[in-house]
Amino acid sequence: MIELKSATKTVICIGSGGVGKTTFASTLAIGQACQGRRVLVLTIDPSLRLAQALGIPKDGDVHDITDPFIREKGGQLFGCILDHQKVFQEFILSAAGHRLADQDIKKLTENRLYHQLSTHLAGSQEFTSLYKLNQFVKSNQYDLVVLDTPPAQHTWQFLRAPEKLSQLFNEGIAQWFRSGHQQDVGFFKKIVNVGTVQVLKALEVLTGAEFIKELSLFFKAIQNWQQPLQQQVNDCHKILTSQQTEFVLVSALDSSRILESQKISNEIVQEGYNLTTLVINRCYQWGDQDLRTSNPKVGEILQYYRKIEQNLTALSSEKRFQRLSVYKAPEVSQNDWHVKKLYEVYSQISVLR
Amino acid sequence: MATQKIHFFTGKGGVGKSTLAASFAYEIARNSAASNILLTELSERPFYQDFLQVPTQGYTPVRIEKLSKNLALSLWSPQECLREYALHLLKIESLYKLFFENPVSRSLIQVAPGLQELAILGKVTSSARQHGPAMNFDQIVIDAYSTGHFLSLLRAPKAMSEVIQFGPMGEQSKSIDRWIRNPDFCQIHLVCLPELFPVTETIELYQQLVQEFGLVPKVYLNKYLDLNISDLQDLSESTQNYFKNTIQIQNESVDLLKQSHVRFQKMKLQPTLDSLQLVDEISSQLESGVV
C-alpha cells in the first residue's frame, strides 16, 4: 500500500518508458478508490489489455469505471484515456473560438504547420496532459486525480512543456509573422526593426520563402492565444508546485534505472516540486532461501537484482531526498489484469524505507 | 570517403539501446584497426559522459582513448546541428550571431515542427551528401530517439519536402531523404526486451521500416535471461514462479519473432553494475554474433 498525505489532491506518476508506469498509475488509483475515495485516473496510451481490464473506452472522455468490488469498499473510480489531438483542438476552440470566424478556424486546421504541431510536436502531448489535469483538478469533482505522464526521454521535457508551448505564442514571435502578410507590399516591409528583418532574412536563407509563408499564416490564425495560454501555464505551474500535489517516481529493477532515477529526482527537487515517493516496480519478493541457491548462474542474477534494489533504496538516504519514501511493487502477470487483481497487487506494495 | 556507413539504434525506453549502441561502436572500433568510428547521442543532456566515465561530452567529437583509439564520442543536439549548418550556409558570423542569439529565433527553432529532426539528419548525412562541414568518420553510431520519436525523425525529410517544395530547404530535404533510404549507407538497429508487448511493437516497427523505407533493421533481444527450469530447483516457490513466468514469456517472444520471419540476436543479461565491464561484455557477445 502507498501512503499519501490526506490533503493530497493530485498524484503525478513520472519515470521513463518501460517501467510499467501506466499500470502502476492504475493500480494506485484502484487502491485509493478502495479506501473510499472518489478517484480519477488519467492515462496515456495504455495497452489494449489494460484498457479492457479497467473498462475504459479509448474515446478521450471520462468514464465511471467503478466496479462492484470498489463500490463495496465505498469508493468510486473514473478513468480517461487522453486523446491529445482532441484536447488540443478543444484548447484552441476555447482559447480563440469566440474570436475566430468559422472560415479562420477551417484555415487554421488546414494549415500544415498546425497539423504537424498538433500531431508531432514534442511537447504538445505533455501540454495536453497538463491542460486536462488542470481542468479536472479545478472542477473539484474528485478527491484525487492520478496522472500518468507521457513517455518522455527526459522528465524535464514534461515539466517544461507548458512554457515551451507558450514561447511559441508569445507576443514577440507572433507579432513578427502577423505583421507583414496582410499586405502585398512585401513581406518584411512593415517591420521597422532592422534586427528583425535580418533575422527573418536569415531564416529565409535557411528554409526558403515558402516555409516563412506557412509560418506567417499560422501565426496570424492564432493571434489571440497568448493570453489563455499564459493562463494555462500559470495554472499548471500552480498545480505542479502545490503542496497538495505529490510526485511519484516509478522505477524498475534494472541497472540503467539507478543513474536515471537519481537524475530525475534531482531535477524534480531542484524545480521545487514535491517528490515524495519512489516506487521500484515489477520486483519480486526474494527470501534467504533464494539467496542460498547452489546454482551459480541463478545466484549471480539474484545478487545483481538485489544490488540494484539496494542502490535505488539508497537514494532516500541522500540528504536532499530525505522525505522520500521507497516502496517496492510486485510484477503483475499480463494475463491477470483485472481490477481485483490490481487491488491485490496494490496491497502487496511494501515499504522499503 | 568511399563507403561511409551510419547506424541508428532505437527501441523503447529502458531496453538498453544506449548501452548496446556504445558496445556496438566499441566492437567495430577495436576490430578494424584503420577505421575511425564516432559514437554520438541525440540529446541535449549527455548520458554517456557518466556512463562511460569520460570528462567531457559535447558537440565536437572527443576521442575515448581508454576504450579505443579509433573511437570518438559526441553529443548532437538539434540546436547545435542547426547552428553549425546555418553558419556554413550564411557564412557571415555576425548574421549568424544575430540569428541564433536572438531569443525569439531560438524558441522558434525549438517549436518549428520538423526543423530539429531535419537538422539532425542533415548533420548525420552531411559527409555522404558532401554538403555542410566535413566529418572524417568511416562509421557513425547514433544512439537515437526511442521508437515513436524515431519514426518521426526518419519521416521528417519527406514530410518537409512535401510542405516546402522549393528553395534550399526543399532541396536539402529531398537529398537527405534519398540518403536515409539507401540500405548500403543506413543501418537501423532495433533493441527490444524479450517480453510480449515490446516484441509485438518491434515487429510492427520492423515491418514498417521495411515497407516505408526499404531498410531491413537488425533486431536484438536484449537482457535475455539464460536460464532453464532445471536451474531453479532450490529456490522458493514464489521466486521459482517468477522465473518460470519470465522464461515462458521469453520463449513466446522468440516464437513471435520467428513466426514473423524477423532475424534477431539474443543478448544475454550481464549481471554487472560496472558500466565499462558491461560494454566490454556486450561487445564480445556482439562479436560472436550468434543469430
Side-chain angles (χ1 to χ4, degrees):
Chain A
M1 289 199 354
I2 302 259
E3 211 162 301
L4 299 174
K5 272 181 245 131
S6 55
T8 295
K9 299 208 74 172
T10 311
V11 173
I12 299 177
C13 297
I14 52 168
S16 57
V19 292
K21 198 168 40 185
T22 306
T23 315
F24 175 79
S26 312
T27 308
L28 177 66
I30 291 171
Q32 291 293 318
C34 286
Q35 285 171 19
R37 307 179 79 179
R38 191 180 158 91
V39 181
L40 169 67
V41 57
L42 287 175
T43 79
I44 289 146
D45 198 27
S47 69
L48 192 63
R49 265 193 191 159
L50 182 63
Q52 280 168 353
L54 294 170
I56 322 178
K58 288 193 170 187
D59 58 4
D61 294 331
V62 176
H63 294 271
D64 185 342
I65 50 169
T66 313
D67 82 335
F69 180 75
I70 295 172
R71 193 167 299 123
E72 220 171 83
K73 297 192 177 272
Q76 262 179 299
L77 183 63
F78 298 83
C80 171
I81 298 170
L82 292 170
D83 177 338
H84 298 285
Q85 225 165 326
K86 210 165 152 185
V87 177
F88 200 67
Q89 192 105 11
E90 184 189 316
F91 167 70
I92 287 164
L93 292 180
S94 78
H98 58 286
R99 296 194 198 92
L100 276 185
D102 282 355
Q103 75 211 50
D104 287 334
I105 292 178
K106 192 161 172 282
K107 226 198 256 166
L108 176 64
T109 49
E110 278 167 6
N111 184 286
R112 282 170 289 199
L113 281 175
Y114 164 79
H115 202 71
Q116 281 213 34
L117 187 73
S118 61
T119 46
H120 293 302
L121 177 66
S124 78
Q125 266 206 4
E126 286 81 357
F127 172 76
T128 47
S129 308
L130 286 174
Y131 175 73
K132 271 305 199 197
L133 177 72
N134 179 28
Q135 214 175 58
F136 291 129
V137 173
K138 258 188 172 169
S139 78
N140 260 328
Q141 280 188 49
Y142 308 97
D143 300 328
L144 184 73
V145 182
V146 179
L147 175 71
D148 164 33
T149 54
Q153 209 185 358
H154 299 289
T155 311
W156 57 270
Q157 284 175 338
F158 171 72
L159 298 170
R160 302 257 164 83
E163 283 115 286
K164 201 171 145 189
L165 203 67
S166 98
Q167 278 175 354
L168 173 61
F169 306 112
N170 82 29
E171 192 54 51
I173 310 185
Q175 192 76 50
W176 284 13
F177 286 97
R178 285 199 309 265
S179 315
H181 204 73
Q182 288 140 336
Q183 287 163 22
D184 292 331
V185 206
F187 186 3
F188 305 128
K189 291 251 166 79
K190 276 193 84 178
I191 308 164
V192 271
N193 187 315
V194 182
T196 305
V197 175
Q198 273 177 309
V199 170
L200 283 174
K201 268 190 185 151
L203 190 64
E204 198 181 346
V205 170
L206 289 175
T207 61
E210 214 180 333
F211 182 78
I212 309 260
K213 203 172 136 193
E214 282 276 325
L215 213 54
S216 150
L217 280 171
F218 177 71
F219 280 107
K220 215 183 129 203
I222 55 156
Q223 53 188 314
N224 293 318
W225 282 13
Q226 295 95 316
Q227 209 270 326
L229 196 74
Q230 196 51 49
Q231 187 61 43
Q232 277 301 315
V233 174
N234 295 346
D235 284 359
C236 290
H237 189 74
K238 223 181 263 171
I239 292 184
L240 290 178
T241 51
S242 157
Q243 280 305 308
Q244 294 184 331
T245 297
E246 293 193 42
F247 278 77
V248 175
L249 173 60
V250 186
S251 187
L253 209 52
D254 183 295
S255 57
S256 64
R257 304 296 177 190
I258 301 172
L259 206 66
E260 182 190 87
S261 298
Q262 205 163 11
K263 279 192 169 173
I264 296 178
S265 316
N266 254 334
E267 277 166 15
I268 302 169
V269 172
Q270 269 169 18
E271 297 280 330
Y273 301 131
N274 188 18
L275 177 69
T276 61
T277 309
L278 169 68
V279 176
I280 311 173
N281 202 16
R282 306 178 68 182
C283 286
Y284 60 97
Q285 308 286 340
W286 47 64
D288 292 342
Q289 183 192 347
D290 298 327
L291 294 168
R292 281 197 301 268
T293 176
S294 58
N295 185 312
K297 242 176 14 182
V298 178
E300 202 183 18
I301 290 171
L302 286 174
Q303 287 295 347
Y304 168 68
Y305 284 147
R306 198 157 178 242
K307 247 187 269 168
I308 297 172
E309 188 181 299
Q310 284 166 348
N311 274 310
L312 281 167
T313 314
L315 268 182
S316 70
S317 54
E318 289 182 35
K319 221 177 176 179
R320 56 182 186 268
F321 306 137
Q322 261 190 355
R323 280 156 50 228
L324 196 65
S325 314
V326 183
Y327 294 88
K328 84 186 213 183
E331 166 88 302
V332 200
S333 160
Q334 296 186 359
N335 302 322
D336 246 2
W337 275 343
H338 50 86
V339 170
K340 217 167 158 181
K341 181 72 195 179
L342 290 175
Y343 180 68
E344 242 177 79
V345 169
Y346 178 76
S347 329
Q348 284 166 25
I349 296 175
S350 56
V351 69
L352 287 172
R353 202 183 160 99
Chain B
M1 219 179 309
T3 50
Q4 200 197 37
K5 198 153 181 167
I6 59 172
H7 301 268
F8 286 104
F9 277 77
T10 182
K12 274 191 94 162
V15 296
K17 70 179 166 56
S18 304
T19 309
L20 216 61
S23 307
F24 180 82
Y26 176 50
E27 198 262 323
I28 49 177
R30 70 174 174 178
N31 281 321
S32 37
S35 69
N36 202 3
I37 313 294
L38 176 70
L39 169 65
T40 190
E41 190 183 340
L42 302 187
S43 176
E44 280 154 50
R45 301 189 181 188
F47 165 77
Y48 286 131
Q49 190 173 337
D50 289 338
F51 184 74
L52 298 175
Q53 297 149 36
V54 288
T56 54
Q57 181 188 0
Y59 191 67
T60 314
V62 183
R63 301 257 144 220
I64 332 175
E65 297 281 352
K66 67 173 170 185
L67 285 181
S68 160
K69 62 176 175 45
N70 300 331
L71 183 62
L73 175 69
S74 71
L75 174 76
W76 287 349
S77 71
Q79 286 83 351
E80 291 275 352
C81 289
L82 201 63
R83 179 189 174 114
E84 186 189 45
Y85 178 62
L87 189 57
H88 178 80
L89 219 65
L90 297 172
K91 304 271 189 306
I92 309 156
E93 175 92 26
S94 62
L95 190 59
Y96 134 85
K97 267 197 174 150
L98 186 69
F99 184 64
F100 279 94
E101 283 165 17
N102 184 307
V104 178
S105 42
R106 262 210 301 268
S107 47
L108 182 71
I109 290 160
Q110 260 192 23
V111 294
L115 206 56
Q116 302 206 19
E117 282 82 2
L118 207 62
I120 291 279
L121 289 181
K123 173 75 180 166
V124 168
T125 56
S126 66
S127 295
R129 296 183 297 123
Q130 297 178 334
H131 186 95
M135 269 190 309
N136 299 313
F137 290 102
D138 302 304
Q139 303 202 51
I140 304 177
V141 180
I142 304 142
D143 178 19
Y145 304 122
S146 52
T147 11
H149 195 179
F150 180 70
L151 261 185
S152 26
L153 174 74
L154 285 192
R155 283 175 178 156
K158 185 151 189 268
M160 193 61 88
S161 73
E162 280 164 3
V163 177
I164 316 293
Q165 297 190 355
F166 308 103
M169 195 144 124
E171 289 308 314
Q172 289 304 317
S173 305
K174 273 177 229 158
S175 122
I176 294 170
D177 186 54
R178 271 198 303 278
W179 274 97
I180 58 162
R181 286 167 197 270
N182 177 353
D184 295 324
F185 169 70
C186 176
Q187 174 70 56
I188 292 169
H189 302 255
L190 298 181
V191 187
C192 94
L193 295 181
E195 294 171 17
L196 295 175
F197 193 45
V199 163
T200 313
E201 278 193 348
T202 302
I203 293 171
E204 278 169 20
L205 182 60
Y206 177 95
Q207 289 165 344
Q208 207 153 13
L209 287 167
V210 172
Q211 276 169 20
E212 199 177 325
F213 294 91
L215 300 169
V216 180
K218 285 190 175 151
V219 176
Y220 305 89
L221 209 50
N222 201 18
K223 299 182 190 174
Y224 190 87
L225 275 187
D226 189 25
L227 292 177
N228 295 311
I229 304 282
S230 60
D231 290 324
L232 309 173
Q233 276 161 6
D234 53 1
L235 299 176
S236 69
E237 203 192 322
S238 70
T239 307
Q240 270 196 32
N241 286 339
Y242 175 87
F243 280 115
K244 275 182 190 163
N245 186 36
T246 310
I247 292 170
Q248 196 200 329
I249 291 171
Q250 281 189 166
N251 291 338
E252 286 171 26
S253 307
V254 167
D255 289 345
L256 258 178
L257 286 169
K258 283 183 179 160
Q259 278 162 23
S260 313
H261 308 288
V262 173
R263 282 166 62 82
F264 61 94
Q265 182 174 0
K266 282 182 198 167
M267 304 299 301
K268 277 187 245 163
L269 176 84
Q270 299 290 342
T272 174
L273 290 180
D274 178 333
S275 49
L276 292 177
Q277 193 191 342
L278 188 64
V279 165
D280 193 55
E281 281 175 9
I282 293 178
S283 70
S284 304
Q285 269 196 58
L286 281 170
E287 195 180 355
S288 69
V290 193
V291 175

